[in-house]
Amino acid sequence: MSQPSQVPTTRRAAVDPKECSITGTLAAIGDRWSVLVLRELFYGVRRFNDIQHDLGISRSVLTDRLARLVEIGVARTEPYQEPGDRVRQQYRLTRKGVRLLPVLVGLMEWGDEFLSNGDPPVVLEERDSGEQVRLELRSTSGALVAPHQIVTRARRRRVD
Amino acid sequence: MSQPSQVPTTRRAAVDPKECSITGTLAAIGDRWSVLVLRELFYGVRRFNDIQHDLGISRSVLTDRLARLVEIGVARTEPYQEPGDRVRQQYRLTRKGVRLLPVLVGLMEWGDEFLSNGDPPVVLEERDSGEQVRLELRSTSGALVAPHQIVTRARRRRVD
DNA sequence: CAGTATCCCAAGCGATACTG
DNA sequence: CAGTATCGCTTGGGATACTG
């Protein structure tokens, strides 16, 4: 730990950083609030005031975030009606939004491991079996893959 | 406080949002740049100027982000020395930082699916087998779990 | 090469009040 | 209940210049 490293230390990213999918996803939902709003929707909280209450987000910002989530297609509005009241809108995840679940679970698992002292506030379970659900990196053959066994390969962009 | 619950559209989060691990992780690395810096480190880019060049981040902000990542323990500095030059610092992921890999992969996979027209700029492969690596939600018994089969269970309930 | 130090602007945000 | 509208403030962050 005190010896200067002998391995090559200089290396540029193997891919144009501007074309990386991580950059794109962050541009879509990488602001301070969107992920939290998505979490609420995943938890089943669908109404404006409930989300606002849970998150402590200001109303104007929530309006903006929900509109944006709908615009990019990860959430959709759905009409509902309380008896004796007029029709209102609620918000639900689309399939495209559900596909962000691994990101949410990844954030949750890291926080569980490093921030909550082995006492996770929420656990994810499979509905039928009651078994705990975890995120795993696996190869196409189904084997678990350790992070250090993973290499990145840049693909040549198709030109059209 | 009781409600006429004809339609189950209203629901509060089953957990105190302030205690959610997602909130905590976002507080740690949820800003505009940290995840991208982590991506660089995962790609093996370790030097200040290389990261700055790749991301187009300003020098003062990069200084701040790297210091913060070191402070929270997801990155560490490591001395290295070019022949005939003085010892300098480079940055590497710690184990705690490597544990954020599923988050990066989750962001990447979503971008690959919805933003890059089925033409992912980068693929992740297992070093030995060359097989593609993907993120999966599985139960403890090892079975794949569909997102809609997942339920959340709060372990510490806060009544308000 | 790897940072610091300043300056300054604009986005993001909360608070508050208002509306259909 | 589900938003809009307005108003400042705060802070993130880029530009630039400087340093060991």
Side-chain angles (χ1 to χ4, degrees):
Chain A
M1 185 168 282
S2 52
Q3 289 295 329
S5 171
Q6 300 301 325
V7 295
T9 55
T10 188
R11 191 167 108 201
R12 290 286 160 79
V15 63
D16 178 2
K18 307 297 184 218
E19 293 185 5
C20 177
S21 288
I22 294 177
T23 308
T25 305
L26 288 176
I29 54 124
D31 65 284
R32 275 251 164 242
W33 284 115
S34 290
V35 175
L36 258 13
V37 173
L38 290 170
R39 183 199 70 182
E40 289 293 300
L41 298 181
F42 173 65
Y43 280 169
V45 185
R46 296 171 185 171
R47 294 186 180 186
F48 189 94
N49 274 19
D50 290 340
I51 298 171
Q52 198 239 330
H53 172 270
D54 281 348
L55 298 182
I57 186 178
S58 72
R59 303 179 71 75
S60 52
V61 173
L62 180 56
T63 298
D64 182 82
R65 279 326 105 94
L66 284 170
R68 177 168 173 76
L69 293 176
V70 169
E71 185 187 346
I72 67 177
V74 299
R76 62 188 158 87
T77 56
E78 184 177 277
Y80 74 95
Q81 188 166 20
E82 294 283 347
D85 209 347
R86 70 168 175 80
V87 173
R88 299 179 185 283
Q89 296 297 320
Q90 60 180 344
Y91 296 86
R92 305 194 62 170
L93 290 179
T94 63
R95 175 182 157 279
K96 188 173 176 180
V98 170
R99 289 280 198 166
L100 281 165
L101 186 55
V103 176
L104 300 181
V105 177
L107 293 168
M108 185 183 297
E109 288 188 351
W110 190 87
D112 287 344
E113 182 171 359
F114 296 104
L115 302 177
S116 66
N117 266 337
D119 185 29
V122 189
V123 289
L124 303 181
E125 296 177 350
E126 189 177 24
R127 187 190 307 276
D128 295 337
S129 66
E131 288 177 356
Q132 192 174 345
V133 176
R134 315 188 101 264
L135 208 53
E136 294 177 348
L137 289 162
R138 293 197 181 231
S139 64
T140 46
S141 66
L144 274 172
V145 178
H148 286 102
Q149 284 303 311
I150 298 176
V151 294
T152 58
R153 189 164 62 86
R155 298 187 57 205
R156 202 166 299 275
R157 300 289 297 170
R158 178 183 55 200
V159 182
D160 28 24
Chain B
M1 197 175 188
S2 60
Q3 297 194 51
S5 53
Q6 295 275 37
V7 193
T9 55
T10 187
R11 192 166 107 201
R12 290 286 159 78
V15 63
D16 180 1
K18 307 300 184 214
E19 293 184 6
C20 177
S21 288
I22 295 176
T23 309
T25 306
L26 289 176
I29 53 121
D31 64 285
R32 275 252 164 244
W33 284 115
S34 291
V35 175
L36 291 173
V37 173
L38 290 170
R39 184 199 69 184
E40 290 294 300
L41 297 181
F42 173 64
Y43 281 170
V45 185
R46 296 172 185 169
R47 295 188 180 185
F48 188 95
N49 275 16
D50 290 340
I51 298 171
Q52 199 240 330
H53 172 269
D54 280 349
L55 299 182
I57 186 177
S58 73
R59 303 179 71 74
S60 51
V61 172
L62 180 55
T63 299
D64 182 82
R65 280 325 106 96
L66 284 170
R68 175 167 175 78
L69 292 176
V70 169
E71 185 187 346
I72 66 177
V74 300
R76 61 189 159 88
T77 57
E78 185 177 276
Y80 74 94
Q81 187 164 24
E82 294 282 345
D85 209 346
R86 71 168 174 81
V87 173
R88 298 180 185 283
Q89 296 297 321
Q90 60 181 344
Y91 296 86
R92 306 193 63 169
L93 290 179
T94 62
R95 174 181 159 281
K96 188 173 176 179
V98 170
R99 288 280 197 163
L100 280 165
L101 187 54
V103 175
L104 300 181
V105 177
L107 294 168
M108 185 183 297
E109 288 188 349
W110 191 86
D112 286 345
E113 181 171 0
F114 295 105
L115 302 176
S116 67
N117 260 343
D119 186 26
V122 189
V123 289
L124 302 181
E125 295 177 350
E126 189 177 24
R127 187 187 309 276
D128 295 338
S129 66
E131 288 179 356
Q132 192 173 344
V133 175
R134 282 184 295 112
L135 209 52
E136 295 176 349
L137 289 163
R138 292 198 183 230
S139 63
T140 45
S141 66
L144 275 171
V145 179
H148 285 102
Q149 283 302 311
I150 298 175
V151 294
T152 58
R153 189 163 63 85
R155 296 193 59 219
R156 290 180 296 173
R157 192 187 184 88
R158 184 168 183 273
V159 182
D160 46 19

